[in-house]
Amino acid sequence: AGKGPKAYLQAALHADEIPGLLVIHKLMHRLDAADARGEITGNIVLAPIANPIGSSQRLFGELAGRYDQESGGNFNRGYADLAQQIADDIGPDLGDDVAENTRLIRESAVKLLSQRPVADEVEALKISLMQHAIDADIALDLHCDFESIMHLYTGAPLWEQARDLAAYLGARVSLLATVSGGNPFDEALSGLWWQLAELIPDRPIPSACMAATIELRGKADVEEEQAENDALALYYYLQSRGVISGEPPEPPALPGEATPLSGVEKVRAPIAGVVSYKRLPGDYVRKGDVLCTLFDITQYDAEKARLELRAHSEGILYAHRQDRLCRPGQVL
């Protein structure tokens, strides 16, 4: 601690999203080997099982770790929004030294989190995770989608810091926002910096936390070789940022440029039915292409039972749902 950049990585904040568990498991062994060689030059904090509450909640034998079963709350929403409190706490103390301002902001954030009231165990979990990560230079939250290709979410002001990460991971889709909604974990860490820059515009305040949510493909994507490759990609990124010594290989060509999160087209089911997908995650689709067919099996007539859903825009189909029986209004 204190000898270089700090990196924080966690897995399975949504406890039913399993690939990150294996990726961090593989990364740990690489880091242990690097540590034995004296190559850890920064401070690395891992939370391999970030959500023991969600991991313990099963419903009829199925892990249901996205929402807390007591409160119904999303484990990756509602994190502390500290920017205004920090501005009130130490705003007048900030000067023209960027490094000193960064130190003061982090000290204030740590203090404010320690004073935060705890209403229940989920709030205690969220505060604990933020306390481990609030002073990190890099914070990576490992998730996955239902069935998808590798993609990531990060703050629009952070894209230049995240380009290499996306390239090492081979992410064809990177989605950017300054406010994505609900204050998820990564945005609670990184967003406070650009919020503070707006609240205190006459003082130099950097984007001091490169936080991102990495979607490690789909829920079933836990092949060991793939996890090894993902762990190696994260290792190279940490190396490139001076957390581990040595020269990583040059990042490969970025598979796809970042696009705004607001540009995502969500395709919803207008009726209940059985979903038969015609296009798969990773396919490039054009406006008018058939994405899937819905079959209303309450209709005897074959033509009346069939409804094709088409793309209204052009781009990469990066994810779709696992379950093939949908309700009206459900995002497919």
Side-chain angles (χ1 to χ4, degrees):
K3 293 186 177 180
K6 176 177 175 178
Y8 173 89
L9 295 89
Q10 68 180 22
L13 181 57
H14 284 151
D16 59 336
E17 297 178 0
I18 306 305
L21 297 173
L22 187 56
V23 170
I24 283 202
H25 176 76
K26 294 294 185 180
L27 179 63
M28 264 195 295
H29 293 287
R30 288 188 178 277
L31 294 175
D32 282 342
D35 193 27
R37 297 190 298 268
E39 294 173 357
I40 305 294
T41 50
N43 181 9
I44 304 172
V45 178
L46 304 180
I49 304 171
N51 184 0
I53 301 169
S55 297
S56 71
Q57 293 183 345
R58 289 179 176 266
L59 185 63
F60 303 120
E62 295 293 328
L63 190 61
R66 185 178 184 86
Y67 301 98
D68 175 45
Q69 289 180 359
E70 185 169 341
S71 68
N74 188 323
F75 286 111
N76 193 27
R77 297 293 185 272
Y79 282 81
D81 185 352
L82 299 174
Q84 185 63 61
Q85 290 176 272
I86 293 172
D88 294 341
D89 183 38
I90 51 95
D93 301 328
L94 300 181
D96 296 324
D97 186 322
V98 174
E100 179 64 8
N101 288 348
T102 301
R103 186 188 69 79
L104 289 171
I105 289 166
R106 286 174 171 162
E107 279 188 357
S108 175
V110 169
K111 179 184 74 175
L112 290 167
L113 284 171
S114 71
Q115 297 171 350
R116 199 168 178 85
V118 178
D120 52 38
E121 70 171 355
V122 173
E123 186 65 19
L125 172 70
K126 291 178 178 180
I127 291 172
S128 178
L129 294 175
M130 282 195 74
Q131 285 174 321
H132 285 294
I134 196 68
D135 59 346
D137 300 279
I138 299 164
L140 304 179
D141 193 9
L142 306 187
H143 286 251
C144 71
D145 213 307
F146 293 102
E147 294 179 357
S148 79
I149 58 173
M150 173 76 77
H151 59 287
L152 61 85
Y153 300 90
T154 193
L158 302 175
W159 175 236
E160 288 309 311
Q161 298 182 54
R163 286 180 66 93
D164 287 359
L165 176 64
Y168 280 126
L169 289 167
R172 287 179 61 199
V173 173
S174 299
L175 299 167
L176 307 182
T178 50
V179 179
S180 63
N183 218 35
F185 179 78
D186 69 321
E187 204 170 290
L189 300 174
S190 58
L192 73 87
W193 294 94
W194 57 75
Q195 289 178 55
L196 282 167
E198 290 180 359
L199 290 168
I200 314 171
D202 59 338
R203 293 290 182 263
I205 297 174
S207 289
C209 179
M210 207 308 287
T213 294
I214 298 171
E215 302 282 350
L216 296 164
R217 306 173 192 85
K219 287 189 175 186
D221 289 318
V222 290
E223 291 81 5
E224 185 174 8
E225 185 178 354
Q226 189 169 256
E228 288 274 16
N229 290 336
D230 293 340
L232 185 58
L234 295 175
Y235 186 94
Y236 287 155
Y237 184 72
L238 295 179
Q239 216 173 20
S240 75
R241 294 303 184 266
V243 189
I244 306 167
S245 67
E247 284 294 321
E250 283 292 313
L254 188 67
E257 277 297 328
T259 53
L261 177 60
S262 59
V264 172
E265 178 188 343
K266 294 183 178 180
V267 178
R268 295 181 182 271
I271 61 170
V274 176
V275 186
S276 178
Y277 288 108
K278 304 302 181 186
R279 306 302 294 268
L280 299 176
D283 286 351
Y284 195 91
V285 299
R286 289 176 171 79
K287 185 176 180 179
D289 284 355
V290 175
L291 302 177
C292 61
T293 303
L294 285 184
F295 292 93
D296 178 359
I297 46 80
T298 67
Q299 293 284 348
Y300 178 76
D301 183 279
E303 288 306 309
K304 289 182 179 178
R306 181 187 183 92
L307 176 65
E308 291 181 338
L309 297 187
R310 299 174 182 269
H312 294 110
S313 55
E314 183 173 343
I316 297 171
L317 174 63
Y318 69 91
H320 66 207
R321 292 189 68 84
Q322 270 179 312
D323 47 322
R324 299 317 202 246
L325 184 65
C326 67
R327 294 184 291 180
Q330 197 164 40
V331 175
L332 301 179

